[in-house]
Amino acid sequence: MRIILTGAVGTMGKTTVNTIALHPECQIVAGVDKFADGANYSFPVYTDISKVGETADCLIDFSVKAALPGILTYITEKKLPAVLCTTGYDAEDIKAIEEAAKTVPILRSGNMSVGINALIKLVKEAAAALPGADIEVIEAHHHNKADAPSGTAKMLVAAAKTARPELVPVYGREGLVGKRKPEEIGVHAIRGGSIVGKHEVMFIMNNEVVTLKHEAENKGIFSEGAVSAAKFLVNAKPGLYSMADVLDK
């Protein structure tokens, strides 16, 4: 499988290069990164995706939100499946992704980890089983992460809302906030050091607490998930997919 990697020079780009090297059936044919001059790879790295002329079977994106328009233009023109691993998209971005997915298969996930996607399933079940619990989501990442809360935290909120659609996110608390409302779901972001990623969902009741949590020990779990997603997409029809589709195949 031939892969174009966007965000090739970033931390996750480098991790993905190392991961793909462990998959002999996969090959990166080109990379894209605005810092292409700092690349030292066996494949070419371009500063602009429109300059990529290599033939590929799938694109994996670990770049930044601002790169999305160019990526969507490229994959729709080339009819190229794409795994979008970048977070921080807004409603307009998601709408553009959904439109592009009408013509090419796209998998978008706020977290490519198999464990996190299992956690999402468990959160859905717990939210249904504990309808009266107060729910709090806590996430922690390294000090270089630009967006907050994390895309994964948003996925966990959405998972809880499948059983309790009345839930309304409250992002942190400060000052005289008053009594906690039953429909609140607290979301808290911690940033510091080199934390790869920690996510915790607390279901808090009178006299007892149920906690579901996941901790990433290294970034390789995300690139492994991205490669699995790429393999899934190669034979997929146009549409918008998630890691749940990869796990359920």
Side-chain angles (χ1 to χ4, degrees), residues 101-180:
K102 293 178 181 178
T103 58
V104 293
I106 296 176
L107 188 146
R108 182 181 75 86
S109 178
N111 194 303
M112 305 305 297
S113 158
V114 171
I116 278 291
N117 284 278
L119 175 62
I120 289 169
K121 289 186 177 182
L122 293 173
V123 168
K124 291 178 180 179
E125 294 175 6
L130 306 169
D134 295 327
I135 306 176
E136 298 283 304
V137 177
I138 305 167
E139 58 99 340
H141 285 84
H142 53 87
H143 55 209
N144 290 322
K145 185 169 177 59
D147 59 310
S150 67
T152 304
K154 294 178 181 179
M155 292 168 68
L156 293 169
V157 170
K161 284 174 67 69
T162 59
R164 294 175 54 182
E166 76 280 3
L167 292 173
V168 178
V170 175
Y171 299 100
R173 296 185 179 88
E174 181 183 9
L176 191 63
V177 297
K179 181 180 178 181
R180 190 191 199 279

Side-chain angles (χ1 to χ4, degrees), residues 48-124:
D48 188 332
I49 192 171
S50 65
K51 300 293 196 302
V52 178
E54 285 77 6
T55 300
D57 302 302
C58 190
L59 178 145
I60 294 178
D61 171 52
F62 274 111
S63 60
V64 293
K65 175 184 183 299
L68 181 66
I71 290 171
L72 294 182
T73 297
Y74 185 86
I75 64 173
T76 52
E77 288 179 353
K78 303 290 186 180
K79 295 295 184 287
L80 183 67
V83 181
L84 303 181
C85 312
T86 298
T87 60
Y89 293 136
D90 57 28
E92 186 175 340
D93 295 325
I94 293 172
K95 183 178 179 181
I97 292 169
E98 291 172 344
E99 186 64 28
K102 293 178 181 178
T103 58
V104 293
I106 296 176
L107 188 146
R108 182 181 75 86
S109 178
N111 194 303
M112 305 305 297
S113 158
V114 171
I116 278 291
N117 284 278
L119 175 62
I120 289 169
K121 289 186 177 182
L122 293 173
V123 168
K124 291 178 180 179

Side-chain angles (χ1 to χ4, degrees), residues 1-4 29 55-59 79-82 230 233-234:
M1 179 172 63
R2 298 161 297 180
I3 296 169
I4 293 171
V29 295
T55 300
D57 302 302
C58 190
L59 178 145
K79 295 295 184 287
L80 183 67
L233 276 192
V234 168

